Amino acid sequence: MKLKLICTALSIAILCAGCGSAPSGSAEPTASPEPTSAIVSSTFKEASLYDYKDYTDSQNIDETGFFTGVRALDYVTLPEDYKAIPASKADLTPSDDIIKVGMDSIVGQYTAAALGDTVNIDYVGTVDGVEFMGGNTNGMGSDLTLGSGQFIPGFEDQIVGHKVGDTFDITVTFPEGYRDSTDASGNTIVLANTEAVFSVTINHISFGWELTDAWVKQNLEKSTYEVSTVEQLKNYVSNMVAQNIKENYVLDYLVKHCTYGETAPEPVLDYMVCRYLSSLNQYAEYADQDLETFLKARDFSSIDELLAYNEEAILNAVQTQLAVQAVAEAADIKLDTNLAAQYDSYVENYGQPYVNQYVMNRQVLKLLTDGLVIS
């Protein structure tokens, strides 16, 4: 299966590394290229020139929260209405299904999966430590009702008792007559009557029982959610989801209504590419493979082919990042140091520039969502 980079997912991930306020002592702005509706040239380097193995979340970002040496307004023209983005109430109203998913996600942190529940899982299967074709969800998730007998005997039973976010190994034996598979190099792997190990992660649980006020009070009243009834939990999730919808809406509107220069600034493009390749490399290392071997098992002849295949999605993430940084520059948003201090515990793992960009992104999103003109 081709690894299609999901644009929205990458954009949201990148926004965790955010944008920032105009730094003092920035490089002298370069002449702005003629704007187009979208960046049309990625100017990707050869894959071997991207140091994705040593990627860090704070690379190419300075202490002020900008990408080093990049003035976004040299590459982006913002729409005139960026501080007053129009929207309809219908655009921003979460559906009942989305609210239920959010409630289930919270409940899943406190209650283990049981027979009759439906779980969404990711998994990687190996035989004698070698990954085999068809045994990997590739991060796309797979729904499974526990007790349905849909998977190999013993697989579903070993999920019972685990919670959302858990990652664990399941050991099963393929039944007699099960068809053969291959490894990344095309070598045959016999599965019939063979023991296999699956590394499984639970993404979501849809519970087969009715949520009650008693359960909420017992489990959530003294939690970080501080709710004691089903209705209170529903309202909490509804408000949270509504805010997420607003943020996604303003980002989408912003990107669609900006105009861009023909090429992307190298520090931002390099960051997006290295972040993407680094995440894939982690999957490859988990399967005890190098990235090239990992990609060949997914129909890519090289990393360069992968990048070409996902060019549009990568450029969309670049555009999103530049648009958000451009808002910070145009609105002259200053970093809220008190808010940044609330994330001090993340500095060791992600670096101060990453934290500062995240905080600046939150400030930009607040400006945009607070300014929504809802009809």
Side-chain angles (χ1 to χ4, degrees):
M1 177 185 291
K2 288 279 190 178
L3 287 166
K4 184 66 175 178
L5 184 153
I6 307 302
C7 174
T8 302
L10 179 66
S11 297
I12 295 301
I14 295 306
L15 284 172
C16 289
C19 65
S21 174
S24 58
S26 298
E28 196 67 26
T30 57
S32 300
E34 289 297 320
T36 60
S37 60
I39 295 171
V40 296
S41 174
S42 65
T43 60
F44 285 152
K45 298 181 292 191
E46 290 185 11
S48 61
L49 299 178
Y50 288 109
D51 193 14
Y52 62 88
K53 293 181 180 179
D54 293 323
Y55 161 84
T56 66
D57 293 293
S58 284
Q59 72 180 43
N60 296 358
I61 306 169
D62 63 31
E63 291 292 328
T64 66
F66 272 160
F67 278 94
T68 305
V70 174
R71 181 177 182 269
L73 288 173
D74 287 338
Y75 298 86
V76 180
T77 301
L78 295 169
E80 292 184 0
D81 61 355
Y82 79 90
K83 288 186 179 180
I85 293 175
S88 69
K89 187 175 181 180
D91 291 329
L92 308 177
T93 302
S95 69
D96 291 339
D97 287 344
I98 292 177
I99 293 173
K100 185 180 186 307
V101 169
M103 294 174 68
D104 285 343
S105 295
I106 292 175
V107 173
Q109 298 171 25
Y110 296 85
T111 300
L115 293 177
D117 295 339
T118 298
V119 296
N120 181 276
I121 58 174
D122 279 304
Y123 53 81
V124 178
T126 57
V127 171
D128 294 330
V130 178
E131 183 183 339
F132 55 90
M133 296 296 293
N136 191 334
T137 57
N138 293 313
M140 300 301 290
S142 177
D143 289 333
L144 171 64
T145 299
L146 302 181
S148 65
Q150 181 181 346
F151 278 29
I152 304 166
F155 190 101
E156 296 170 23
D157 292 339
Q158 294 178 63
I159 294 176
V160 171
H162 289 282
K163 298 179 180 180
V164 170
D166 285 355
T167 296
F168 50 95
D169 287 344
I170 284 177
T171 301
V172 293
T173 299
F174 283 95
E176 184 176 355
Y178 204 93
R179 67 184 182 278
D180 294 344
S181 184
T182 62
D183 63 15
S185 300
N187 301 310
T188 298
I189 295 181
V190 176
L191 296 183
N193 297 317
T194 300
E195 184 178 275
V197 176
F198 287 83
S199 175
V200 177
T201 299
I202 299 182
N203 302 319
H204 175 72
I205 303 174
S206 181
F207 294 96
W209 46 272
E210 184 177 354
L211 187 63
T212 65
D213 289 345
W215 188 96
V216 174
K217 182 176 179 64
Q218 179 180 348
N219 292 277
L220 301 181
E221 186 174 44
K222 295 182 180 179
S223 71
T224 56
Y225 302 104
E226 297 182 340
V227 293
S228 55
T229 67
V230 174
E231 188 64 25
Q232 288 177 359
L233 176 61
K234 183 176 181 179
N235 289 338
Y236 175 93
V237 171
S238 180
N239 291 335
M240 179 178 64
V241 172
Q243 182 61 26
N244 287 338
I245 290 174
K246 284 182 180 180
E247 292 178 0
N248 288 330
Y249 179 88
V250 295
L251 284 175
D252 184 63
Y253 182 94
L254 189 65
V255 171
K256 288 180 178 177
H257 290 79
C258 283
T259 53
Y260 299 86
E262 291 187 356
T263 59
E266 185 171 317
V268 183
L269 183 60
D270 283 5
Y271 185 90
M272 303 300 178
V273 172
C274 286
R275 187 182 183 98
Y276 178 44
L277 295 181
S278 175
S279 66
L280 291 180
N281 192 55
Q282 290 177 22
Y283 280 105
E285 289 178 344
Y286 186 82
D288 199 24
Q289 299 173 348
D290 58 33
L291 183 55
E292 290 79 5
T293 302
F294 179 81
L295 293 177
K296 286 179 181 177
R298 289 152 182 83
D299 301 326
F300 289 102
S301 62
S302 66
I303 299 175
D304 292 292
E305 184 187 353
L306 171 78
L307 294 179
Y309 183 76
N310 287 297
E311 178 179 19
E312 182 178 353
I314 292 172
L315 291 181
N316 185 278
V318 171
Q319 290 169 186
T320 301
Q321 182 61 68
L322 286 173
V324 174
Q325 179 167 318
V327 171
E329 294 171 359
D332 195 24
I333 296 176
K334 304 300 183 183
L335 179 68
D336 185 337
T337 55
N338 290 328
L339 180 57
Q342 296 179 23
Y343 296 92
D344 281 348
S345 61
Y346 295 94
V347 172
E348 183 177 353
N349 289 332
Y350 300 105
Q352 190 66 57
Y354 179 98
V355 171
N356 289 349
Q357 284 200 323
Y358 174 77
V359 172
M360 287 300 299
N361 276 321
R362 300 310 310 164
Q363 293 177 240
V364 168
L365 288 172
K366 186 177 188 306
L367 173 75
L368 298 177
T369 55
D370 285 352
L372 274 168
V373 178
I374 303 173
S375 58

